[in-house]
Amino acid sequence: MTVSITALEMRGISKSFSGNTVLDGVSLTARAGEVLALLGENGAGKSTLMKILAGVHQPEEGEIFIDGQPTKFARPADALQAGIAMIYQELSLAPHLTVAENIFLGREPLKVAPLGFINQRELNDRAKILLSEYGFNLNPKSRVASLSAADRQQVEITRAVVEAKKVIVMDEPTSSLTDSEVKELFRLIRDLKSRGLAVIYISHRLEELDEIADRVTILRDGKAVYSGVWGEISTDEVIKHMAGRELKEIFPPRNARIGEVKLRVRNLTLKPKFEGVNFEARAGEVVGIAGLAGAGRTELIEAIFGATPANSGEVELNGKQFLSTQPSLSVTSGLSLLTEDRKRTGLCLNLPLATNITLANTGALVKGGRLQSKLETATAQNYIQKLNIRPPAPSKPVGRLSGGNQQKSLLARWLFAKSQVFLMDEPTRGVDVAARSEIYREVNELAEAGAAIVMVSSDLPELLGMADRILVMRRGKLVAELNARQTTQEEVLKHAAVEES
Ligand SMILES: Nc1ncnc2c1ncn2[C@@H]1O[C@H](COP(=O)(O)OP(=O)(O)OP(=O)(O)O)[C@@H](O)[C@H]1O
Ligand SMILES: [Mg+2]
């Protein structure tokens, strides 16, 4: 092991948006050949700090040093030039271009121009080699618009790795990935380390850090509150630094009576995504659905909801046949869907937080034919407080909130819709530990009030901690039903894994 040298130093960085201080004199160092974990609650300022490093935002104060030399990045292209690449939390791919084009073409319009001279076949061949080297099973010719969140994340990772020469920032790279893909990513990270890159790694999945983190810097409310060696700090201490308080339990206890069948799915089929799926969810019950990316979980719950119609099969809601091809109809029937891709199918980014929260149940806010805006604000404020959405500003466009706070806003919408059956796709993606525990408490309250919850998640500790039963999907079929209290991560994975043929 060689002595690590400082590749990057950020010193005294301050930044505010319209008068609100988001970063207040933050310093950090990242060393060549090491992984620096950058942690903090939702809204702590992690992405903003990294966007300053990537030249997306300009700091009001502070300096950046690369190999000890002071540097200024006026534009993202400058940072790229200096060898700094970033995997953005909110994915930044060009949807109309192919996988290969996204990997090799820079975000700069200048670099797109020579496209006419690029040999498409060579581009695709090179992309194919890279993708398979990284263990990603993607077709270089697919259009990015047609890919799932997990696939897009893999394209984003591949692109950044191609660009990175000195520092690579990964802003929640595993939020859409399942276990085996995370393993591939970690293999890739080790490879980057051995090539002498400094890796800055942001994640809310603390349990994965033991495998790759060398050092850690923790932000709280825009200040760096701790920096040190990863192995020298316990998870409890990390959470305490992040939240500024102790967290007793991540999974609060639930005291729900399991009652009548609320949702029944019979032989539901949508080829080639899934086939012959049967299950039920009862009042008071949390049913988990596990599986690898591409197993058909998202497609299944979208079909139940009526967002994409199934080929055949039946769905019963409260004992009655339910056939919806219109999401709005599903919502008024008491069925809601929390989507995995909050930007594409969830939030209206330009609309205020309050509007986003009340959108699915505006009827409840209308009196005498008029929307009561005071009532709307009060309702929003109630959920903002309950879920600790920050900043607590009902009129702020939701697109301005940090990633995790956007996710909480979407959840608030469905809580307010007062559904009886909740379909949730990766409900805590990108949500910090403390806020996750608030979401779990809300889910428990829903179950205790008699709702049925179907939770698709790639986070196995979450399924084991929250579900009563775990259904495992593999290649579009339900292959196992496990009692969440008696099973283990290994057992779930064994069923989820695709058998070699
Ligand atoms: N472009 C912007 N305009 C106004 N406010 C912003 C902007 N970008 C970020 N903020 C605010 O800055 C704060 C920090 O946000 P940031 O995205 O850096 O948090 P984060 O630590 O990455 O959180 P998360 O874990 O949820 O991704 C938040 O309060 C956010 O609302
Ligand atoms: Mg962020």
Side-chain angles (χ1 to χ4, degrees):
M1 188 81 198
T2 50
V3 182
S4 341
I5 42 168
T6 299
L8 162 78
E9 184 182 352
M10 298 181 85
R11 204 184 284 167
I13 304 282
S14 293
K15 173 77 188 166
S16 54
F17 290 109
S18 27
N20 297 322
T21 304
V22 168
L23 294 171
D24 183 4
V26 174
S27 298
L28 66 73
T29 51
R31 300 178 192 177
E34 284 193 359
V35 174
L36 172 71
L38 180 59
L39 306 181
E41 289 197 308
N42 297 132
K46 305 178 295 293
S47 297
T48 305
L49 184 65
M50 291 300 106
K51 283 182 187 165
I52 288 173
L53 177 60
V56 175
H57 293 316
Q58 297 306 313
E60 276 110 39
E61 278 171 53
E63 289 171 292
I64 299 174
F65 300 86
I66 303 288
D67 292 333
Q69 298 298 315
T71 330
K72 272 213 158 33
F73 302 136
R75 305 174 301 144
D78 297 346
L80 267 183
Q81 189 74 34
I84 296 171
M86 176 153 170
I87 299 169
Y88 290 90
Q89 176 177 20
E90 306 299 343
L91 305 180
S92 63
L93 301 171
H96 55 287
L97 297 183
T98 66
V99 168
E101 287 164 346
N102 266 284
I103 291 173
F104 289 112
L105 302 180
R107 283 321 76 107
E108 296 299 296
L110 273 179
K111 291 194 190 156
V112 181
L115 173 62
F117 307 109
I118 290 175
N119 180 337
Q120 282 290 337
R121 188 193 289 164
E122 193 194 321
L123 197 72
N124 290 332
D125 288 349
R126 279 170 57 200
K128 201 180 172 88
I129 292 169
L130 279 173
L131 287 164
S132 67
E133 198 177 299
Y134 303 159
F136 298 152
N137 184 18
L138 288 176
N139 181 352
K141 294 180 200 160
S142 304
R143 288 219 177 270
V144 160
S146 69
L147 300 181
S148 70
D151 291 349
R152 269 180 269 154
Q153 204 156 36
Q154 298 181 353
V155 178
E156 185 97 8
I157 291 167
T158 309
R159 177 185 62 76
V161 170
V162 170
E163 290 171 346
K165 301 289 178 289
K166 185 151 281 294
V167 180
I168 182 164
V169 178
M170 304 188 172
D171 197 349
E172 300 189 35
T174 55
S175 61
S176 302
L177 302 184
T178 55
D179 232 62
S180 61
E181 294 152 337
V182 172
K183 283 210 175 71
E184 290 295 342
L185 177 67
F186 287 177
R187 205 166 52 90
L188 185 62
I189 291 178
R190 283 188 204 102
D191 183 48
L192 292 167
K193 279 171 67 169
S194 69
R195 280 161 42 190
L197 268 87
V199 182
I200 303 181
Y201 187 93
I202 300 176
S203 177
H204 290 294
R205 295 185 180 179
L206 298 182
E207 61 282 352
E208 69 188 19
L209 292 173
D210 283 336
E211 264 190 71
I212 46 152
D214 297 297
R215 294 177 334 108
V216 57
T217 290
I218 303 175
L219 299 186
R220 183 167 80 238
D221 293 334
K223 294 194 179 71
V225 292
Y226 181 91
S227 282
V229 173
W230 176 252
E232 292 174 1
I233 184 169
S234 70
T235 308
D236 284 351
E237 284 171 304
V238 169
I239 294 173
K240 213 166 120 187
H241 283 299
M242 281 171 50
R245 62 187 162 88
E246 280 188 64
L247 186 69
K248 280 195 211 71
E249 65 222 327
I250 293 177
F251 300 106
R254 177 168 68 236
N255 196 357
R257 199 184 61 83
I258 310 259
E260 74 280 9
V261 174
K262 287 269 175 197
L263 174 76
R264 180 170 278 135
V265 174
R266 271 207 202 101
N267 264 320
L268 207 63
T269 300
L270 175 60
K271 282 184 182 165
K273 300 296 186 187
F274 58 85
E275 198 179 344
V277 172
N278 290 290
F279 76 93
E280 57 188 39
R282 294 173 173 270
E285 196 180 29
V286 178
V287 178
I289 302 187
L292 302 181
R297 300 171 301 164
T298 294
E299 289 85 355
L300 172 65
I301 62 171
E302 283 184 352
I304 296 172
F305 184 64
T308 39
N311 299 141
S312 60
E314 278 167 44
V315 176
E316 272 176 24
L317 198 62
N318 290 318
K320 282 201 238 72
Q321 191 175 7
F322 172 77
L323 249 183
S324 170
T325 45
Q326 253 182 327
S328 59
L329 203 72
S330 309
V331 174
T332 43
S333 314
L335 179 67
S336 69
L337 171 68
L338 180 72
T339 52
E340 67 167 338
D341 186 345
R342 57 182 172 251
K343 261 194 171 169
R344 191 167 56 92
T345 49
L347 294 169
C348 311
L349 295 178
N350 296 321
L351 293 182
L353 174 58
T355 315
N356 270 284
I357 291 178
T358 55
L359 202 64
N361 194 9
T362 24
L365 303 173
V366 175
K367 291 222 173 73
R370 284 201 174 173
L371 182 74
Q372 305 290 307
S373 58
K374 273 198 188 132
L375 189 57
E376 180 182 56
T377 310
T379 305
Q381 235 135 16
N382 176 31
Y383 288 101
I384 288 170
Q385 199 191 359
K386 256 187 159 169
L387 293 172
N388 193 19
I389 297 173
R390 287 187 302 175
S395 59
K396 194 167 171 129
V398 91
R400 289 285 157 84
L401 301 187
S402 77
N405 282 296
Q406 291 186 13
Q407 184 68 16
K408 289 193 258 175
S409 315
L410 199 53
L411 183 74
R413 176 189 301 172
W414 300 120
L415 294 177
F416 180 56
K418 310 255 186 271
S419 300
Q420 305 197 28
V421 176
F422 288 85
L423 307 170
M424 300 183 173
D425 199 357
E426 309 285 357
T428 62
R429 162 172 303 162
V431 173
D432 71 56
V433 185
R436 236 188 286 168
S437 143
E438 286 155 21
I439 289 180
Y440 298 146
R441 189 164 300 116
E442 291 298 322
V443 170
N444 285 349
E445 272 181 31
L446 293 173
E448 283 163 2
I453 289 114
V454 178
M455 186 187 280
V456 168
S457 179
S458 299
D459 187 329
L460 289 179
E462 167 168 289
L463 285 186
L464 292 169
M466 284 300 291
D468 296 293
R469 288 182 288 136
I470 298 177
L471 311 176
V472 187
M473 270 184 100
R474 184 174 69 218
R475 286 189 171 158
K477 296 208 168 106
L478 279 189
V479 292
E481 175 178 332
L482 306 165
N483 181 332
R485 273 167 207 82
Q486 285 160 10
T487 188
T488 60
Q489 292 199 39
E490 289 71 31
E491 191 179 10
V492 176
L493 278 175
K494 195 185 78 200
H495 290 290
V498 179
E499 69 283 36
E500 300 292 333
S501 53

